[in-house]
Amino acid sequence: MVLANALNNSKKQRQPLLQVENLTKVFGSGKNEVIAVDDVSFEIYPGEIISLLGESGSGKTTTARMILRLSQPTRGRILFKGKDIQAMKGVDYWRQVQAIFQDPFSSFNSFYSVHSFLSKAFRLKGNHVSKSQQRAMMEEAMKKVGLNAEELLFKRPHELSGGQRQRLMIARALLISPELLIADEPTSMIDASSRVGILNMLMDLSRNLGMSIMFITHDIGLAYYTSDRLLIMNKGRIVERGPSVEVVENPTDEYTRRLLADVPTLSKRWAL
Ligand SMILES: Nc1ncnc2c1ncn2[C@@H]1O[C@H](COP(=O)(O)OP(=O)(O)O)[C@@H](O)[C@H]1O
Ligand SMILES: [Mg+2]
C-alpha cells in the first residue's frame, strides 16, 4: 500500500505524455447511429506500457484512430504533452506518435517498394543521414524483426505476406522510435512462435528509450504479458482500469471477469 501510494504520488508529479478527455465518437445518425466511443478518459505516462483490451467492436480502433488524428472526435479532446493535438502540425505530431496497425496493407502505397516505405522514416524524423547510413539502418531494423533485407528491400507490398507487412511496420517504428507507439493488434498476422520475440523487442525499446506503448488487443495474454496497466473497454466505455496484476487477480467488473475466463491458458501460451 505504501508502495502503491508512493507510485501514485510520483505519477502525479510527472506530466502525462497523452491525456484523453471525455472522448466520444458517434457514427451515423437516427436509427443508424452507433456510439463507437463513449466518454472515454485516460492518461499515458512517459515510458509506460498500457493495453486497451476488449472484444471486437468495443471501440478500440476508433479510439486509436482519433489519437492518431485519422478521425475527428465527436466530443472530447486529446492532449499530447499538455497541448491539444488538433493545434499541432501533422509532421510534428507523427514524428512523436506512430502506429502499427492490424491490417497494415492500407498503410502502404502499392507503387512503393519496401525501401521507399522505410525511407519515409528518415524524412519524417528530419535527420540528416547519408544514403549509405540509411541503407545500413534499414537493414538492421529489418533484421531485428526477422526480415531479410537482401530478399525484400525492393519488393512491393502485394508481394509480401500479411505477417511480413506487419513486421515491416514494426521495423519502421524502430527507425522512427517515437515517444508513443500505438500498436493495434500488432502481431495478429505473425505466427505464434515469433510473437513473443516481437513483443519482447517492443518492450525492450520502451525500456531502453523510454518509449510509451499502447497495445490495442482482444488478447488478455498479450495485454497481461506486456502491460503496466490495463484499460478494459466494452461497448465504447472503459469499464475497468488498473495495474495489470490487480485487474487480472481481482477483477471487479462482470465483463472483465468474462474476458478472464481465458486466463487458465495464459500460463501455457505466454510461459508466465
Ligand atoms: N467508419 C465507421 N462507420 C460506421 N461505424 C463504424 C465505423 N468504424 C467503426 N464503426 C463501428 O464502431 C464500433 C467500434 O468499432 P471498432 O473501433 O473498430 O472496434 P474494435 O477495434 O474494438 O473492434 C463498431 O460497432 C463498428 O461497427
Ligand atoms: Mg480493431
Side-chain angles (χ1 to χ4, degrees):
M1 208 53 209
V2 175
L3 183 63
N5 283 337
L7 280 175
N8 275 339
N9 287 338
S10 72
K11 246 185 200 172
K12 277 184 196 130
Q13 284 157 15
R14 274 193 299 165
Q15 195 196 28
L17 187 63
L18 189 85
Q19 289 161 278
V20 169
E21 295 179 350
N22 309 104
L23 196 65
T24 299
K25 180 75 183 187
V26 182
F27 290 112
S29 60
K31 265 196 299 182
N32 299 321
E33 187 179 280
V34 176
I35 305 174
V37 177
D38 190 1
D39 199 23
V40 160
S41 301
F42 62 88
E43 305 82 42
I44 305 177
Y45 287 86
E48 199 183 24
I49 302 183
I50 72 163
S51 277
L52 185 60
L53 177 69
E55 289 168 318
S56 169
S58 53
K60 306 182 300 295
T61 296
T62 305
T63 304
R65 288 178 53 81
M66 289 189 279
I67 295 173
L68 290 160
R69 281 191 24 176
L70 300 174
S71 167
Q72 186 78 21
T74 308
R75 280 187 291 282
R77 59 176 195 162
I78 300 165
L79 307 180
F80 184 77
K81 295 181 179 168
K83 269 197 213 145
D84 194 321
I85 64 169
Q86 299 298 337
M88 293 176 71
K89 263 173 131 183
V91 278
D92 286 339
Y93 189 58
W94 290 314
R95 199 175 4 242
Q96 302 176 82
V97 180
Q98 275 287 313
I100 301 168
F101 281 112
Q102 179 169 13
D103 175 15
F105 196 63
S106 54
S107 312
F108 294 90
N109 181 321
S110 53
F111 295 106
Y112 288 164
S113 65
V114 168
H115 182 276
S116 30
F117 174 73
L118 291 177
S119 313
K120 293 237 172 68
F122 298 99
R123 237 173 294 155
L124 192 63
K125 281 208 78 132
N127 283 354
H128 296 287
V129 179
S130 74
K131 291 278 178 232
S132 64
Q133 256 176 311
Q134 285 189 13
R135 177 71 177 258
M137 288 167 77
M138 283 181 208
E139 285 175 3
E140 194 194 328
M142 287 178 77
K143 195 168 163 201
K144 276 196 183 144
V145 298
L147 293 175
N148 182 346
E150 212 170 298
E151 178 198 345
L152 299 175
L153 202 53
F154 293 96
K155 293 231 157 128
R156 293 195 293 155
H158 65 270
E159 299 174 288
L160 307 177
S161 71
Q164 286 174 325
R165 286 196 290 265
Q166 214 159 36
R167 286 169 193 261
L168 203 55
M169 291 224 74
I170 297 168
R172 191 178 71 156
L174 294 179
L175 290 172
I176 298 174
S177 59
E179 292 188 45
L180 173 62
L181 181 69
I182 313 275
D184 191 349
E185 310 279 6
T187 56
S188 58
M189 292 177 155
I190 293 171
D191 42 293
S193 60
S194 27
R195 206 167 281 167
V196 172
I198 298 253
L199 292 172
N200 284 342
M201 200 187 58
L202 290 173
M203 291 160 76
D204 283 347
L205 208 60
S206 164
R207 237 171 268 134
N208 300 336
L209 302 176
M211 178 177 81
S212 305
I213 306 178
M214 178 159 111
F215 284 108
I216 293 190
T217 184
H218 64 277
D219 185 337
I220 186 131
L222 187 157
Y224 183 66
Y225 179 69
T226 56
S227 302
D228 303 312
R229 278 193 302 135
L230 305 182
L231 305 171
I232 313 289
M233 196 167 193
N234 182 26
K235 296 186 183 138
R237 292 183 150 261
I238 308 279
V239 295
E240 182 153 6
R241 67 181 78 211
S244 303
V245 178
E246 274 176 36
V247 171
V248 167
E249 285 182 0
N250 197 10
T252 58
D253 184 82
E254 194 46 46
Y255 177 78
T256 314
R257 289 209 188 106
R258 200 148 52 73
L259 279 180
L260 284 169
D262 236 14
V263 163
T265 63
L266 263 186
S267 48
K268 278 188 224 135
R269 273 195 307 149
W270 296 91
L272 295 172

